[in-house]
Every structure is written in structure tokens, then in C-alpha cells.
Amino acid sequence: DIQMTQSPSSLSASVGDRVTITCQASQDISNYLNWYQQKPGKAPKLLIYDASNLETGVPSRFSGSGSGTDFTFTISSLQPEDIATYYCQQYDNLPRTFGQGTKVEIK
Amino acid sequence: QVQLQESGPGLVKPSGTLSLTCAVSGGSISSSNWWSWIRQPPGKGLEWIGEIYHSGSTNYNPSLKSRVTISVDKSKNQFSLKLSSVTAADTAVYYCARNRKGVVDDIWGQGTMVTVSS
């Protein structure tokens, strides 16, 4: 299985801050990476697919980049409603695997 | 728009079989998408269980393959999950999802909590 390692596991930032999360794959996955947001008690929501494509209806403050083994997810200006856990997911190989998640909190 | 809804028992006895159904509304299960099951133990991360295409083709997580069966019922526009020989480690929220073109799980059900306990 391809291992996905996210960092940090949690972070605290102020409203308006730029927030960056990284995801590293255990092998080259090209750009076959998605990012999800999960709020407490809710199902995950797709934000970014193919590493950098914004899903329809998702605010433009969310963005993704990277290819190969190293990927970055950015919130350009953190909003109170962005409090959630964020997961990366690779789909280069089955089984599709997720990172362990990054919990984002407001400082 | 497409919506998914999981249903099934919330409590299963150890060594028993967990059975869940995902009803698809607002679209056809025979569209060019795969249909996935994903689970999340309490306080933990996400684990992909497997997926099915309307033709009946399936892919399973090797870690669960010996215990998992995913099936589709096109007449009812739904798909199902069976997980046998369950233990407490199978306690989780189970989600069904639409996997768009084999790329991304873009639409998710609300999830259903299944507890394995005697």
C-alpha cells in the first residue's frame, strides 16, 4: 500500500492567517491526489482533486499543488468556518489510502 | 443532485456479519462511476474498504478482502456492503460514496455508526 504522511497533525492559527499542510507519498503518485475537509460529525467533503483542481463550489481561498511524492494544501486566509480536519488521499494505486489527517483550529 | 443514504443495523455481535445498504437518489447507479465504501473508527482516520461498478466489477482493500463483499442492485438503485467475522476493531462510522470516474470520492452519504459488541 502507498503510505501518505501528513504534517503537521494539528495546527492553531488566527483568522486571516495563511495555513499550509503538507502530504508526502511513500512513492511517486504523479498528481493523483485529492484533499478533503471533514467537520465534526460530518462526512468528508471534496475540496481539491488531481492535486490542484478546485472542486466546483469550493471557495478560492483553498488551493493545492505538487506532484510526485510531495504535495501542499493551502488556505490563503483562514476563516472560522474552516475549522475541520483535512485529509489527503492518493488514487494512483489501489487500495486508495488517506493521510492521517490535520486538525485545524482557531487560535 | 445525486444523494446517498446508508442504512443498516447499528449494533452487530462479534463474529457476526455487518450488512449495510447505500441508496442512490437523484441519479442512476448505472452511470459511469464507481461506488465506494469507506469507514472511520471513532476518533481515527479514513480507511477505504472497496468499490463496485454497475457491471458488478469490484475492487477490495487487501486488508479486508477475505471478509468483504460489495454488491449492486440496479433495480433498486442501491449497493451493499457485507463484512463477515466482525470484531470490535470493525466498530466505525461507515460511509458510502460515489467515486467519480475512478478518480475521486465526490459525493458522500452522511455515514452510519456501527458498533460491534455483545
Side-chain angles (χ1 to χ4, degrees), chain A residues 6-97:
Chain A
Q6 282 182 239
S7 62
S9 56
S10 66
L11 65 88
S12 182
S14 299
V15 172
D17 281 356
R18 184 180 185 87
V19 169
T20 298
I21 299 168
T22 64
C23 180
Q24 185 170 61
S26 59
Q27 65 186 67
D28 190 333
I29 59 170
S30 186
N31 67 328
Y32 300 143
L33 184 101
N34 305 316
W35 288 97
Y36 296 88
Q37 174 193 66
Q38 186 178 33
K39 296 184 177 180
K42 300 294 187 181
K45 174 187 176 183
L46 173 67
L47 299 181
I48 303 283
Y49 63 96
D50 293 348
S52 61
N53 291 321
L54 195 67
E55 178 71 351
T56 301
V58 173
S60 60
R61 65 180 179 274
F62 296 102
S63 64
S65 64
S67 66
T69 61
D70 296 305
F71 301 86
T72 300
F73 172 81
T74 300
I75 307 173
S76 61
S77 177
L78 185 67
Q79 300 302 305
E81 61 266 32
D82 300 336
I83 300 313
T85 299
Y86 294 84
Y87 293 93
C88 61
Q89 178 205 40
Q90 66 81 22
Y91 62 94
D92 181 53
N93 280 1
L94 293 179
R96 294 198 290 277
T97 47

Side-chain angles (χ1 to χ4, degrees), chain A residues 1 34 36 38 41-46 48-50 55 87 89 91 94-96 98-100, chain B residues 36 38 40 44-48 51 59 61-62 95 99-100 102-106 108-110:
Chain A
D1 298 3
N34 305 316
Y36 296 88
Q38 186 178 33
K42 300 294 187 181
K45 174 187 176 183
L46 173 67
I48 303 283
Y49 63 96
D50 293 348
E55 178 71 351
Y87 293 93
Q89 178 205 40
Y91 62 94
L94 293 179
R96 294 198 290 277
F98 294 85
Q100 79 278 18
Chain B
S36 306
I38 296 159
Q40 185 172 37
K44 297 188 178 180
L46 299 159
E47 180 181 32
W48 181 80
E51 62 186 0
N59 294 305
N61 192 321
Y95 295 101
N99 184 264
R100 188 171 72 206
V103 170
V104 59
D105 299 300
D106 64 342
W108 296 59
Q110 64 185 23

Side-chain angles (χ1 to χ4, degrees), chain B:
Chain B
Q1 69 281 22
V2 174
Q3 293 183 311
L4 307 178
Q5 179 67 58
E6 305 91 346
S7 62
L11 181 64
V12 181
K13 294 187 187 306
S15 77
T17 297
L18 179 159
S19 297
L20 297 174
T21 295
C22 181
V24 179
S25 60
S28 173
I29 203 166
S30 297
S31 58
S32 300
N33 300 295
W34 287 74
W35 304 92
S36 306
W37 286 100
I38 296 159
R39 70 180 182 178
Q40 185 172 37
K44 297 188 178 180
L46 299 159
E47 180 181 32
W48 181 80
I49 300 171
E51 62 186 0
I52 191 164
Y53 197 66
H54 60 78
S55 64
S57 294
T58 54
N59 294 305
Y60 297 134
N61 192 321
S63 68
L64 299 169
K65 188 173 184 176
S66 64
R67 300 192 291 130
V68 172
T69 301
I70 298 176
S71 59
V72 64
D73 187 336
K74 290 186 284 186
S75 67
K76 294 183 178 179
N77 218 38
Q78 65 186 32
F79 62 108
S80 299
L81 169 71
K82 290 188 185 298
L83 181 65
S84 63
S85 304
V86 296
T87 69
D90 295 309
T91 293
V93 175
Y94 285 77
Y95 295 101
C96 60
R98 184 183 79 170
N99 184 264
R100 188 171 72 206
K101 304 292 177 65
V103 170
V104 59
D105 299 300
D106 64 342
I107 300 174
W108 296 59
Q110 64 185 23
T112 188
M113 179 69 198
V114 179
T115 301
V116 178
S117 174
S118 55

